[in-house]
Every structure is written in structure tokens, then in C-alpha cells.
């Protein structure tokens, strides 16, 4: 992973057709190629990954997946997708523990197994953590700490370089406003400190911490600068070709 700003586009269950998917991927890659200090990961639904992959690698753009199955081995697992399949398609990043997946039953234990499977095969895990509410007595900090500790509990020290932490307060996902950049800055420090407790100070200085939740072309630059994060996890705006292109250019300074 380079030192550039990392912007991850989580397409979720969009778009409806493969033709639209190919266009979004092509245009995003075209913008990415013009950036100097920013890299982009596009995470289409599984079914579009092959069609959205470039024939030859293009600069500043990588393929990602929105999740992976819990199972690694080739056994009887109807409907599941393994880390090996993703790697074979050229996927380099995999989102894990997104709140929408956690809401469908993905547990901390599942997240930790998936993170381990991802990094063991040489891919990068984008581990999502975030509180559902901000209570006054700071219980949300405990929630984040617990999510980070359990998500990373199975990985060895040598593999921490393949981990990215995406802090996404659930209340800011799909909302009208992102978290305030000043608050994001505090949370980024907290995430890094928690990471340091597991992997040490040196690793914590290097790990990429992203923010996600209602990021758009208007707020992205302040979130990076004032929020002091290494990148962004973008949902809705990542399938808005014009909006995403503006967002990417705005952070690429
Ligand atoms: P949003 O989604 O940008 O649409 O709020 C973010 C996410 O779910 O990762």
C-alpha cells in the first residue's frame, strides 16, 4: 500500500445493469489516472467484478469487493465466494464488517475470520467499525475499541500492513450530513491509539484510517484535511460518475 490518499467506492447493490457498471468503472479509472496523490478502489457487486476489471492495470485504480464468504476451503457452500476466487479476478481489497453486513448477522468473530483469510492470501482488508449511537458517557468508544480488537485478534504482526481501518459511524451512513471533521479527527486518533495497543506505535503510525458516512464532493476535502484521515469510504457518491470524479479531484492536492 502506498502513502497516497485512499478513496474506496462501495457501490453496494448498484447499478442494475452490467453496461452501467462498466461505464462507471471506466470513467472512475479515467479520473484516477489523472490523480497524482490519490488512489481509488472500486468495489462493484461480485457479479460485475470481471466486467469492471481493466484488461491492463491502470494507474491509481484497484479492484475491491464488498465482502467475502466466511468459508475458505472448497467444500459444499452453496452461493458463497472465497478469497481465492476474488484474488483470481484481480481483486486487491476486500471490505469486511460493513454495518449493513453486521446488521445481516455478521458477528465480530466472523469479521475476524474473514480479515485473517483476506490478509493470509495477500489481499488487503478494509475493516469497518462504527457506533450506532453517540451516547453521552462515551460508551461508543468502547464499542469501537471492541470491534477493532476482535476484528484483528487473529492476524499476526507481519500482516498488519494489509489492514485498513474504515471508521464509519452508522448514524452518518446514508444520511444527509457527514460527521463534523473536528469529531472525525478525534475518532481517527482514537482508532490509531487502539491499533497501537494491538500492534505497537510504529504500526499505528502507518495504518491507513479512513472515514465513511455521507461523504460527497463538497465535504471530502475538509474531512481529509481537518479530519486528518488517510482516505474515505464512499457509498452513494461512488456510483455518481460526475460527483465521484469531483470528489476525487477535490482531495487530490
Ligand atoms: P454513504 O455510504 O456514503 O452513502 O453514506 C457509506 C458506506 O456505507 O460505506
Amino acid at each position: 500500500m502506498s502513502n497516497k490518499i485512499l478513496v474506496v467506492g462501495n457501490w453496494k447493490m448498484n447499478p442494475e445493469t452490467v453496461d452501467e457498471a462498466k461505464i462507471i468503472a471506466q470513467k472512475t479509472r479515467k479520473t484516477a489516472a489523472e490523480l497524482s496523490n490519490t488512489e481509488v478502489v472500486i468495489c462493484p457487486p461480485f457479479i460485475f467484478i470481471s466486467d469492471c476489471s481493466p484488461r491492463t492495470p491502470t494507474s491509481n485504480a484497484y479492484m475491491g469487493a464488498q465482502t467475502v464468504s466466511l468459508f475458505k476451503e472448497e467444500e459444499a457452500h452453496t452461493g458463497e465466494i472465497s478469497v481465492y476466487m476474488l484474488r483470481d479476478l484481480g481483486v486487491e481489497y476486500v471490505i469486511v464488517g460493513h454495518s449493513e453486513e453486521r446488521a445481516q448477522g455478521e458477528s465480530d468473530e466472523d469479521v475476524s475470520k474473514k480479515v485473517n483469510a483476506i490478509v493470509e492470501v495477500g489481499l488487503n482488508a478494509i475493516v469497518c467499525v462504527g457506533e450506532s449511537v453517540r451516547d453521552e458517557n462515551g460508551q461508543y468508544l468502547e464499542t469501537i475499541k471492541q470491534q477493532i480488537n476482535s476484528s484483528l485478534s487473529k492476524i499476526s504482526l507481519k500482516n498488519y500492513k494489509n489492514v485498513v481501518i474504515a471508521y464509519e459511524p452508522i448514524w452518518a451512513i446514508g444520511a444527509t450530513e457527514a460527521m463534523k471533521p473536528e469529531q472525525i479527527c478525534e475518532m481517527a486518533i482514537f482508532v490509531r491509539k487502539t491499533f497501537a495497543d494491538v500492534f505497537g506505535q510504529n504500526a499505528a503510525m502507518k495504518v491507513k484510517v479512513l472515514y465513511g458516512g455521507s461523504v460527497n464532493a463538497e465535504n471530502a476535502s475538509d474531512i481529509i484535511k481537518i479530519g486528518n484521515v488517510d482516505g474515505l469510504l464512499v457509498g452513494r457518491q461512488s456510483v455518481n460518475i460526475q460527483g465521484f470524479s469531483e470528489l476525487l479531484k477535490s482531495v487530490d492536492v
Side-chain angles (χ1 to χ4, degrees), residues 2 26 44 133 154 223-224 234 249 252:
S2 75
Q26 274 163 13
V133 285
K154 289 194 170 49
I223 292 174
I224 296 282
V234 184
K249 288 177 188 159
D252 188 51

Side-chain angles (χ1 to χ4, degrees), residues 10 12 98 100 168 172-175 213-215 233-236:
N10 173 12
K12 307 196 181 182
H98 191 281
E100 288 152 16
E168 297 205 297
I173 296 176
S214 299
V215 179
L233 179 48
V234 184
R236 285 159 294 168

Side-chain angles (χ1 to χ4, degrees), residues 65-100:
Q66 297 174 19
T67 184
V68 66
S69 296
L70 200 48
F71 315 102
K72 261 177 85 180
E73 308 314 330
E74 283 177 46
E75 288 165 9
H77 298 301
T78 303
E80 303 294 330
I81 308 276
S82 74
V83 279
Y84 302 112
M85 296 170 184
L86 295 177
R87 185 176 63 179
D88 188 52
L89 291 184
V91 164
E92 292 183 59
Y93 289 81
V94 184
I95 298 172
V96 211
H98 191 281
S99 59
E100 288 152 16

